[in-house]
Amino acid sequence: METLLAGELKSFGAQSPRVAAGGVGFSGSWETCYRANLWSRLASRVLWCITEFEYASEDDIYAAARAVNWFDLFDVNRTLRVYVTAQKSPVKSLEFVTLRVKDAVCDRFRDDVGRRPDVDRADPDVRVHVFLEDKRGVLYLDTSGEGLFKRGWRMQTVEAPLRENLAAGIVMLTGWKFEQPLLDPMCGGATLLVEAAAMARGRAPGMKRSFGFEKLDSFNGVLWKSLREQAAQPAKQAPKLALFGSDSEATALTAARRNLAAAGVERWVTLEASDVLSRKAPAESGVMIANPPYGERIGESEELSRFYPKLGDALKNNFAGWNCFFFTADRRMEKLIRLQTARRTPLYNGALECRLYEFRIVAGSHRG
Ligand SMILES: C[S@@+](CC[C@H](N)C(=O)[O-])C[C@H]1O[C@@H](n2cnc3c(N)ncnc32)[C@H](O)[C@@H]1O
């Protein structure tokens, strides 16, 4: 995903994007930052690097945080929360570091203006992130606020919904062309379909939400208004879309319907109740993308091992001409489905290692 994200960032005007594990570093103007927040389908957050420091103890981290001119960055009336993450760091307690950094920010404010900001753990105005490696730390201000996967269209969740940015990335990785029919036959709350439709219609994913940068002193309301106005313009060359979703559970379809409507893309998506094992293809050829259950629930694992060969048969019988992608953490799928794998892409769903499998279905594609 990082390479795709670097491409997205370049299109927003990012300078020298640098791909790292789990993220992309870049430089750019506030305009680039606002665009990345408003338009990125893949990023989880856009963090503004405030200071980098070497440290050996909690006191060094406190000193680095206290050295920042916080008063130039946000108003003392804003509420605050500090988040600390670490990799190979010698510090004993991340909770203690969190407290020390919060103290450093508050102490510095007290020195400068005689008052300190309040902490709000549930819905802070300003989020400070500290990342610690073994000897080096980085302190960021969060320009996104809530994670960017929160697009504001999810009305109802089903069990194990995909994150919106992961779903968008999966759709991109399949190479689906907007003119092609797209089917998710295990659609749950329709995350993949909403993201695919929004992408094809050129909708800005951040139009329905607010952002952390709006709470910072650097906020440029005029620039932000003009970027939002541009994003609200209807796409000039919107393709005709043929999206299809189905699920065997009525509750999932209710959630899908509500989410598609909230996202304003329901008119392009045909939903139906059906089992993937018996449903027919809605077009002669197209792209199927699905995210089957992973098998964490008791009994589900055995059920899935019986399901995969039947799925392979169903694809062969009903979906010749289709390119089928399955995103799962269950690595047994590849063998048990008994189809030739065209491609397998490793991806993470949070900390869970997953695969995106591609199977190209042609008549008689059964192995052996
Ligand atoms: C992990 S969830 C999909 C979540 C979805 N990607 C989302 O983001 O909301 C798996 C879905 O597969 C559906 N499902 C399980 N077995 C099925 C079958 N045989 N036919 C159709 N749908 C099925 C479940 O009802 C569930 O909604």
Side-chain angles (χ1 to χ4, degrees), residues 10 19 21 23 30 33 36 41 69 85 87 89 122 125 132 148 168 202 213-214 226 228 254 278 280 317 337 348 365:
K10 259 192 201 164
V19 170
W30 279 116
C33 173
R41 299 184 196 280
N69 291 330
T85 14
Q87 242 176 8
S89 166
D125 295 326
L132 299 175
L148 292 179
F213 60 73
E214 295 173 59
S226 87
R228 276 183 57 89
T254 308
S278 54
K280 298 285 176 236
N317 291 332
I337 197 168
Y348 280 87
S365 66

Side-chain angles (χ1 to χ4, degrees), residues 154 158-163 184-192 246-249 252 274-277 291-294 307:
R154 196 180 286 287
V158 295
E159 203 179 308
L162 282 175
R163 282 227 168 147
D184 180 350
M186 308 175 89
C187 70
T191 317
L192 286 158
S246 51
D247 200 289
S248 52
E249 296 289 327
S274 59
D275 192 307
V276 63
L277 298 181
N291 159 225
Y294 293 170
F307 169 74

Side-chain angles (χ1 to χ4, degrees), residues 68 104 123 139 141 169 199 240 321 350 361:
V68 172
D123 185 23
L139 201 149
L141 271 180
M199 208 181 290
K240 275 186 93 177
I361 313 297

Side-chain angles (χ1 to χ4, degrees), residues 153 189-190 193-194 197 255-266 269 271:
W153 58 256
L193 294 166
V194 168
R257 225 164 256 125
R258 290 193 64 197
N259 291 336
L260 288 161
V265 297
E266 75 278 24
V269 183
L271 287 180

Side-chain angles (χ1 to χ4, degrees), residues 47 51 53 55 61 64-65 70 81-87 94 97-98 100-102 105 127-133 136-141:
L47 302 178
T51 181
F53 54 91
Y55 77 98
I61 302 170
W70 295 104
R81 180 163 176 191
V82 176
Y83 301 78
V84 179
T85 14
Q87 242 176 8
L94 294 189
V97 176
T98 308
R100 292 294 283 151
V101 172
K102 186 266 294 168
V105 179
R127 292 160 205 244
V128 173
H129 294 263
V130 181
F131 284 87
L132 299 175
E133 291 172 351
R136 197 180 142 266
V138 191
L139 201 149
Y140 298 93
L141 271 180

Side-chain angles (χ1 to χ4, degrees), residues 60-123:
D60 297 337
I61 302 170
Y62 173 90
R66 190 168 173 150
V68 172
N69 291 330
W70 295 104
F71 184 58
D72 289 341
L73 299 174
F74 63 92
D75 192 274
V76 68
N77 293 312
R78 298 290 188 192
T79 57
L80 169 76
R81 180 163 176 191
V82 176
Y83 301 78
V84 179
T85 14
Q87 242 176 8
K88 298 189 191 135
S89 166
V91 299
K92 290 199 181 60
S93 157
L94 294 189
E95 238 167 89
F96 182 61
V97 176
T98 308
L99 275 178
R100 292 294 283 151
V101 172
K102 186 266 294 168
D103 285 345
V105 179
C106 293
D107 291 349
R108 183 60 199 266
F109 262 105
R110 219 183 265 117
D111 286 352
D112 287 348
V113 294
R115 284 173 53 217
R116 49 156 284 185
D118 288 333
V119 169
D120 182 344
R121 290 179 62 82
D123 185 23

Side-chain angles (χ1 to χ4, degrees), residues 310-322:
K310 290 187 206 157
L311 177 63
D313 287 344
L315 297 183
K316 195 187 140 222
N317 291 332
N318 300 327
F319 286 90
W322 281 67

